[in-house]
């Protein structure tokens, strides 16, 4: 069995999907209200932060997604006792018995997620040693961890790369460091935060990521007793402290999930209210949504996204770090762009291979050309990166049903929207991968009136 299929099937089991293949009869607008819970890209990190506390932590609004189950299993493998459940949205972590994990248990989870790399700092503080299995996550190009390892070395850690993973120790303890990233990496910024809070001395991080999920992780760490200040120009200062306690935190909502359902509303000509979504963290998305011809109402407890009628218009987008247009937003939005009148361009500047999902859309009738080395010329806001690619989407094109194999999380959700927009029947397999990051997506599809069934 290939490893993508294996990952998808495991993820499907973790979130209790009846099978890994959905049959969709498309062409119906999605309409209704859904709840958006905590952000995958904060919740999983806040779970790791619980390892740093001397007392219990409580995390609220946890989504029922397979990445949460993977990180929970990894924490349990290291002796953390977890109560509550992702189904109810509340998890309680008791780190009083943290111990080195049994390598068979870690191996069983190896390759399932990219979060294990963030266990380094907390495990070094608790146990003086960490073993991190091979990393998984979406296959969207090369995803190096050099910034993570360089930063850990600057804190004084000794990093040993083994065939099965990475062995890290701190024979002389960890100390504050001056670190500057070549690119404001989200994961590497989290690595520095989760390590620097307990080292001896002060750490200065330059060119840090400042995504809302990072700010929420800083809020979690501050509740635990950390001293962290976010300075102008992407500088973060962290003063190490001797001990941290547990936290009680309600996770920031998932802006990727909200943008995905918003895109589904626009592409299918529907109307979806995302309870829990907040304007402040979605402003860049909302501007683009409006330029395309989508409408939204900001409500007290959510955002209503809808197709107000009329033609959709093309746009030019460059993905970027915060406060730019997120790389995770482009995949779902591209389905709406296949319905716009004219030519849109999406420049992907964050990851090196994030348009693989468009092959399936072309088979469904979309007119999309991918330029693997980007497009030269034209006015640009984001400095051109060597790894960038561009997709040129010319619409409107009618989409027709097809057989689709989901390649990764965001591309997979985009395929789901394409199948819901298309005329006729589509079979979408590997949908377990969508369960990695979209909580209760099956129940939500039902609530929004989608016509689908599982192939069992
Ligand atoms: N990079 C390096 N070296 C490193 C780390 C990163 O060169 O050591 C480069 C990457 O190759 C990439 C760029 O920096 O070109 C950005 O990577 P970053 O580290 O910022 O991303 P990440 O932490 O791996 C998180 C999210 C992604 C999201 C990005 C950007 C999690 C678990 N993942 O990834 O989310 O796209 O930030 O916001 O938080 C998703 O949710 O589907 C997803 C892929």
């Amino acid at each position: 069995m290939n490893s993508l299929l294996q990952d998808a099937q495991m993820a499907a089991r973790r979130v209790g999907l009846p099978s890994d293949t959905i049959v969709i009869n498309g062409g119906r607008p999605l309409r209704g209200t859904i709840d958006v819970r905590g952000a995958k890209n904060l919740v999983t990190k806040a779970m790791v932060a619980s390892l740093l506390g001397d007392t219990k932590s409580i995390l609220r609004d946890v989504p029922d997604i397979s990445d949460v189950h993977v990180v929970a299993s990894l924490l349990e493998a290291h002796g953390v006792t977890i109560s509550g459940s992702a189904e109810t949205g509340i998890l309680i972590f008791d780190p009083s018995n943290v111990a080195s994990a049994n390598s068979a248990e870690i191996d069983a989870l190896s390759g399932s997620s990219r979060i294990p790399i963030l266990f380094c700092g907390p495990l070094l503080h608790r146990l003086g040693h960490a073993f991190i299995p091979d990393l998984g996550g979406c296959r969207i190009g090369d995803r190096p961890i050099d910034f993570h390892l360089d930063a850990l070395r600057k804190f004084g850690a000794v990093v040993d790369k083994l065939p099965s993973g990475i062995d890290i120790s701190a024979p002389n303890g960890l100390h504050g460091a001056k670190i500057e990233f070549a690119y404001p990496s989200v994961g590497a910024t989290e690595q520095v935060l989760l390590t620097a809070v307990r080292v001896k001395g002060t750490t200065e991080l330059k060119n840090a990521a400042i995504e809302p999920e990072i700010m929420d992780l800083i809020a979690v760490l501050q509740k635990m007793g950390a001293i962290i200040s976010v300075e102008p120009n992407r500088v973060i200062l962290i003063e190490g402290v001797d001990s941290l306690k547990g936290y009680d935190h309600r996770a920031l909502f998932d802006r990727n999930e909200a943008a995905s359902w918003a895109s589904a509303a626009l592409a299918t000509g529907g109307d979806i209210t995302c309870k829990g979504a907040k304007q402040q963290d979605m402003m860049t998305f909302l501007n683009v949504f409006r330029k395309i011809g989508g409408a939204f109402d900001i409500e007290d407890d959510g955002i209503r996204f809808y197709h107000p009628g009329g033609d959709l218009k093309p746009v030019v987008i460059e993905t970027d770090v915060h406060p730019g247009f997120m790389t995770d937003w482009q995949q779902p939005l591209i389905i709406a762009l296949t319905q716009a009148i004219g030519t849109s361009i999406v420049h992907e500047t964050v990851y090196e291979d994030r348009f693989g999902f468009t092959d399936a859309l072309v088979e469904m009738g979309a007119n999309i050309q991918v330029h693997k080395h980007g497009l030269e010329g034209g006015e640009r806001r984001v400095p051109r990166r060597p790894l960038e690619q561009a997709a040129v989407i010319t619409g409107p094109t009618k989409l027709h049903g097809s057989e689709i194999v989901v390649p990764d999380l965001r591309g997979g959700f985009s395929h789901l929207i394409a199948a819901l927009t298309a005329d006729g029947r589509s079979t979408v397999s590997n949908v377990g991968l969508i369960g990695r990051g979209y909580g209760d997506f099956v129940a939500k599809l039902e609530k929004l009136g989608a016509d689908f069934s599982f192939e069992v």
Side-chain angles (χ1 to χ4, degrees):
M1 196 188 296
N2 73 44
S3 68
L4 188 64
L5 182 60
Q6 234 166 359
D7 283 1
Q9 292 188 346
M10 262 162 60
R13 274 198 296 277
R14 283 190 184 108
V15 290
L17 299 183
S19 90
D20 198 29
T21 302
I22 293 187
V23 178
I24 293 179
N25 289 310
R28 285 183 175 208
L30 296 188
R31 291 182 199 283
T33 298
I34 53 160
D35 288 320
V36 173
R37 283 202 199 160
K40 162 177 95 66
N41 293 346
L42 171 274
V43 165
T44 45
K45 327 301 172 59
M47 291 172 74
V48 179
S50 73
L51 272 173
L52 289 163
D54 294 332
T55 53
K56 284 186 189 174
S57 289
I58 305 173
L59 189 56
R60 302 172 193 275
D61 264 355
V62 175
D64 189 8
I65 55 176
S66 78
D67 274 19
V68 163
H69 292 272
V70 170
V71 180
S73 301
L74 270 167
L75 287 170
E76 283 172 338
H78 286 93
V80 177
T81 308
I82 303 181
S83 49
S85 70
E87 290 81 28
T88 60
I90 299 179
L91 289 180
I92 301 158
F93 308 93
D94 181 353
S96 33
N97 295 313
V98 171
S100 283
N102 164 329
S103 59
E105 280 180 282
I106 307 187
D107 268 358
L109 296 161
S110 133
S112 304
S113 158
R114 294 186 62 75
I115 307 300
I117 188 73
L118 296 179
F119 276 63
C120 294
L123 288 181
L124 283 178
H125 290 306
R126 301 279 316 211
L127 307 170
H129 173 256
F131 173 74
I132 308 300
D134 276 348
L135 295 182
C138 288
R139 291 158 180 79
I140 48 184
D142 195 17
R143 296 179 76 180
I145 51 168
D146 51 335
F147 301 170
H148 296 251
L149 300 184
D150 289 350
L152 287 164
R153 288 191 187 100
K154 287 207 165 127
F155 286 120
V158 175
V159 178
D160 205 2
K161 288 193 193 166
L162 305 174
S164 52
I166 304 162
D167 190 83
I168 301 171
S169 56
N172 302 314
L174 298 172
H175 49 75
K178 281 192 184 298
I179 300 167
E180 179 163 4
F181 292 146
Y183 184 80
S185 152
V186 168
T189 299
E190 292 158 345
Q191 180 76 262
V192 168
L193 289 169
L194 290 167
T195 307
V197 284
R198 283 283 324 274
V199 301
K200 282 216 170 324
T202 299
T203 297
E204 180 190 66
L205 174 60
K206 287 188 177 164
N207 206 17
I210 50 165
E211 268 58 13
E213 293 78 16
I214 302 260
M215 294 303 133
D216 211 35
L217 180 63
I218 292 176
V220 167
L221 293 167
Q222 189 178 51
K223 284 180 178 175
M224 297 178 82
I227 302 174
I228 303 171
S229 57
V230 181
E231 307 282 319
N233 300 322
R234 295 188 175 275
V235 175
I236 301 183
L237 295 179
I238 308 126
E239 292 178 38
V241 295
D242 289 339
S243 69
L244 294 168
K245 57 185 168 56
Y247 62 81
D248 184 338
H249 190 74
R250 183 171 297 284
L252 169 82
F253 80 100
D254 198 314
R255 60 200 176 112
N256 290 341
E257 188 188 1
S260 300
W261 288 113
S263 304
L266 193 57
T268 63
D271 186 334
I272 301 180
T273 297
C274 293
K275 291 261 184 232
K278 294 198 176 70
Q279 179 185 17
Q280 278 73 2
D281 299 308
M282 296 199 71
M283 285 185 160
T284 307
F285 178 83
L286 293 172
N287 286 336
V288 172
F289 193 76
R290 177 172 277 160
K291 281 196 214 170
I292 296 174
F296 55 87
D297 296 338
I298 306 297
E299 297 170 358
D300 273 355
D301 56 351
I303 305 180
R304 173 185 171 211
F305 299 95
Y306 55 103
H307 191 314
D311 294 334
L312 297 186
K313 296 179 275 298
V315 281
V316 177
I317 309 168
E318 300 157 33
T319 66
D320 195 9
V321 294
H322 189 72
F325 190 91
M326 282 195 83
T327 167
D328 305 300
W329 293 337
Q330 52 97 342
Q331 297 91 333
L333 199 64
I334 278 182
I335 311 305
L337 295 180
T338 67
Q339 305 307 304
I341 300 181
T343 298
S344 298
I345 303 175
V346 179
H347 298 279
E348 169 59 44
T349 82
V350 179
Y351 288 115
E352 69 172 9
D353 187 11
R354 225 177 179 185
F355 286 128
F357 74 99
T358 59
D359 291 349
L361 305 182
V362 171
E363 271 185 33
M364 296 175 83
N367 180 348
I368 303 176
Q369 276 160 3
V370 174
H371 298 256
K372 286 203 182 291
H373 304 289
L375 286 173
E376 297 288 351
E379 231 174 76
R380 296 286 306 277
R381 197 179 73 87
V382 180
R384 200 180 142 79
R385 289 188 79 202
L387 55 63
E388 76 178 49
Q389 323 101 69
V392 178
I393 305 121
T394 304
T397 45
K398 260 204 170 313
L399 301 182
H400 51 78
S402 178
E403 296 206 350
I404 311 167
V405 181
V406 163
D408 64 64
L409 170 63
R410 306 290 167 204
F413 196 87
S414 161
H415 288 161
L416 212 55
I417 304 176
L420 291 160
T421 306
D423 285 340
R425 184 177 189 269
S426 294
T427 307
V428 190
S429 55
N430 275 7
V431 289
L433 293 178
I434 299 172
R436 282 195 45 222
Y438 291 91
D440 297 322
F441 74 93
V442 175
K444 289 174 186 172
L445 284 174
E446 262 165 22
K447 220 176 158 200
L448 296 172
D451 179 357
F452 70 97
S453 59
F454 275 92
E455 198 167 80
V456 275

